[in-house]
Amino acid sequence: MEKLLSFKEVAARAGLGESRARTLRERYLKAVPSVGEGRSRRYAEAAASVLSRANELEKQGKKDREILEELLRGRDCGNSHELDEVLNRLDSEVIALRRQLKLLRQESSSLKRKVDYLEKKLCRVEKSSWGFREFLEHIVLFVEDILDF
């Protein structure tokens, strides 16, 4: 059975600093052979050559998708049909993440408008005799609205 390595050992064998190696690992995770999850994750010896190759390809100015395709082809992952499936899944994940990002940006914008509204109300409370109770009611409604998020 092949010896499994820690990430620190993989980075050293690839001739990369840990920070750079982590960046590459996250970017091309599907191509880096590993076992386990989180802190208990261990890497096959081939992971060092994958990270080293990814670093070389980035230095050549290749795009992330091109690099991932080449790394997956370099791994003995079967046939091009399997590679196409992996790339299609990745494309689907990217599309889903973009949708989520759009929704989060919309929600963020909505929350910013609500915070701006409360700040204006607070300024009015400070400058006028407007009822503090009414102001607190607005805050409660605002918090309830956030909790519905």
Side-chain angles (χ1 to χ4, degrees):
M1 181 170 190
E2 185 178 26
K3 179 184 174 194
L4 297 177
L5 307 171
S6 69
F7 188 74
K8 186 175 184 176
E9 292 170 316
V10 170
R13 287 185 183 201
L16 300 168
E18 276 188 72
S19 177
R20 175 67 179 151
R22 277 187 210 294
T23 300
L24 293 169
R25 178 193 64 192
E26 294 307 314
R27 200 170 286 159
Y28 309 111
L29 189 61
K30 301 277 185 192
V32 180
S34 66
V35 176
E37 291 295 322
R39 296 184 86 94
S40 64
R41 183 181 295 159
R42 294 293 175 251
Y43 301 86
E45 291 179 3
S49 61
V50 169
L51 293 176
S52 178
R53 182 68 182 142
N55 192 51
E56 290 172 21
L57 293 170
E58 280 196 358
K59 285 181 180 177
Q60 292 173 12
K62 294 205 175 191
K63 294 182 179 178
D64 290 355
R65 184 180 171 111
E66 293 171 330
I67 294 170
L68 182 60
E69 286 175 4
E70 185 167 328
L71 294 174
L72 288 172
R73 277 193 200 97
R75 256 180 73 186
D76 187 33
C77 64
N79 55 37
S80 64
H81 178 69
E82 186 178 342
L83 176 60
D84 288 340
E85 285 181 21
V86 169
L87 292 173
N88 287 336
R89 277 196 309 263
L90 288 173
D91 283 340
S92 297
E93 287 178 34
V94 167
I95 289 167
L97 288 170
R98 284 185 177 147
R99 266 190 239 123
Q100 285 180 325
L101 180 60
K102 182 179 178 181
L103 291 173
L104 288 171
R105 284 182 175 153
Q106 289 171 346
E107 184 63 26
S108 173
S109 177
S110 171
L111 289 173
K112 184 181 179 332
R113 283 192 305 275
K114 291 173 183 177
V115 167
D116 289 345
Y117 171 78
L118 285 176
E119 285 177 345
K120 288 176 186 173
K121 286 284 190 184
L122 180 59
C123 287
R124 281 192 224 139
V125 166
E126 291 172 350
K127 293 179 182 177
S128 71
S129 61
W130 187 67
F132 191 68
R133 179 180 171 85
E134 187 177 339
F135 174 71
L136 290 177
E137 288 171 357
H138 278 85
I139 290 177
V140 168
L141 291 173
F142 173 72
V143 171
E144 287 173 349
D145 194 33
I146 289 175
L147 294 178
D148 287 341
F149 170 64

